[in-house]
Amino acid sequence: MAIFKGAGVAIATPFNANGEVNYEEFERLIEFQIANGTDAIIVCGTTGEAATMSEEEHMEVVKFCIDKVNKRIPVIAGTGSNCTETAVKLSKIAEEYGADGVLCVSPYYNKATQNGLLAHFGAIAEAINIPIILYNVPSRTGCNIMPETVVKLCRQYKNIVGIKDATGNIAQTSRMMQLAEGCVDLYSGNDDEIVPIMAVGGLGVISVLSNVAPQQTHDICQKCLDGDFATARELQFKALPLVKALFSEVNPIPVKSALEMIGIKAGPLRLPLTKMEPANEAVLKEEMQKYGLI
């Protein structure tokens, strides 16, 4: 059984002015998500600025989220690293804390061959019992998990169950699903590709858009799951201008501005990320208004 179907939010991490995690506001964001139809929470991923957290802080945020959600919906912890030992360590702690699964990005900077990816993800799978979703985002990592590698991992390890696909390459995704013959749980990693990904067998999305539009993102996915792709397509089209604005600068710069616009005190970004450019922020505000969020 899949960890979740529908819209999983790649949740942002609110910070105080001094740069520390704002747990009070983080709880508000968690409750906002659950109250508005989010199907799962993915904590400490790219959108959560995990790359700027110490291991201790990273796992404190994961534990806080797991405890506050309290099994109402699945919580998937981002535990990937370009160091296999670190990824194993974080994944084991997430399992101890009660995570429903982990999201593991392919190694970045040092990268890996396909054989290296098999060994890296295999080591994580052998260290834990909870489900693992691979995360393929070559634009950030410089490392592409090829379809054959994904399928081999999902067949070889019972707890490697699927992939967050942010390749933007629908031909590669289709090839993977053709090879998989049902053994790969596929999630879109791009908010502008929810319907195309679900049309080739995806179960939903791991979404940035869901931070500010959880119900709407859920609805796009649900229409696909119901087989109503005509309505899903219209909902996807309606969201495209806002999605474009949410990615006008590197994620999560725009979405933290968007959260502020709806009254969530997302706070500052951690360097090297900086505040959104005023011109881009003005466009984002306009699209938020058009979409009915403010």
Side-chain angles (χ1 to χ4, degrees):
M1 178 181 285
I3 306 176
F4 77 96
K5 294 181 180 181
V9 61
I11 200 165
T13 306
F15 295 126
N16 290 310
N18 64 1
E20 295 178 353
V21 177
N22 183 340
Y23 283 104
E24 181 178 349
E25 208 64 12
F26 190 37
E27 183 174 1
R28 280 191 67 217
L29 180 54
I30 290 168
E31 294 301 331
F32 169 72
Q33 293 296 319
I34 293 173
N36 287 279
T38 284
D39 298 291
I41 293 177
I42 295 79
V43 60
C44 283
T46 304
T47 311
E49 297 179 77
T52 63
M53 295 180 185
S54 68
E55 289 180 20
E56 293 75 18
E57 184 182 35
H58 182 148
M59 298 316 298
E60 284 173 5
V61 173
V62 167
K63 187 177 190 304
F64 181 88
C65 185
I66 292 168
D67 290 347
K68 291 300 176 183
V69 172
N70 194 25
K71 297 296 181 183
R72 287 177 286 172
I73 58 175
V75 174
I76 299 160
T79 56
S81 174
N82 64 335
C83 170
T84 304
E85 183 180 358
T86 300
V88 167
K89 176 183 176 182
L90 298 181
S91 298
K92 289 171 75 173
I93 296 171
E95 181 174 32
E96 290 171 12
Y97 287 167
D100 296 284
V102 295
L103 178 71
C104 291
V105 71
S106 60
Y108 40 87
Y109 186 72
N110 51 359
K111 304 192 285 186
T113 64
Q114 296 304 300
N115 282 337
L117 293 172
L118 289 169
H120 173 80
F121 290 120
I124 300 168
E126 289 172 354
I128 62 173
N129 295 305
I130 58 175
I132 299 165
I133 297 174
L134 310 176
Y135 181 16
N136 196 17
V137 57
S139 63
R140 283 187 179 266
T141 64
C143 182
N144 189 10
I145 315 174
M146 298 305 293
E148 295 79 5
T149 303
V150 175
V151 173
K152 187 172 183 178
L153 285 164
C154 287
R155 286 184 174 153
Q156 186 171 350
Y157 300 98
K158 62 179 176 55
N159 59 334
I160 298 182
V161 298
I163 189 165
K164 174 185 177 182
D165 188 321
T167 61
N169 183 342
I170 195 68
Q172 176 176 308
T173 306
S174 297
R175 169 66 176 161
M176 178 182 69
M177 295 305 282
Q178 178 193 27
L179 293 172
E181 297 180 329
C183 76
V184 176
D185 291 343
L186 171 65
Y187 300 96
S188 177
N190 296 322
D191 284 311
D192 57 359
E193 294 182 337
I194 301 171
V195 173
I197 291 283
M198 294 189 73
V200 297
L203 300 181
V205 63
I206 295 177
S207 170
V208 174
L209 174 65
S210 283
N211 277 278
V212 293
Q215 188 64 59
Q216 294 89 334
T217 313
H218 165 86
D219 290 346
I220 296 171
C221 295
Q222 191 59 54
K223 289 299 180 183
C224 290
L225 293 169
D226 293 342
D228 185 359
F229 279 92
T231 302
R233 184 172 62 243
E234 292 306 311
L235 295 174
Q236 174 85 88
F237 289 163
K238 182 180 178 182
L240 287 179
L242 175 56
V243 171
K244 182 179 180 181
L246 284 169
F247 288 90
S248 59
E249 295 184 28
V250 68
N251 180 48
I253 292 174
V255 76
K256 291 197 89 171
S257 289
L259 283 166
E260 293 279 350
M261 292 176 192
I262 64 168
I264 300 289
K265 298 173 184 175
L269 297 131
R270 287 184 173 175
L271 289 171
L273 301 185
T274 53
K275 185 174 172 57
M276 198 173 188
E277 294 292 331
N280 291 332
E281 192 167 41
V283 172
L284 174 60
K285 184 175 183 179
E286 181 180 351
E287 295 302 339
M288 292 279 286
Q289 290 170 333
K290 288 180 180 177
Y291 201 62
L293 297 179
I294 57 174

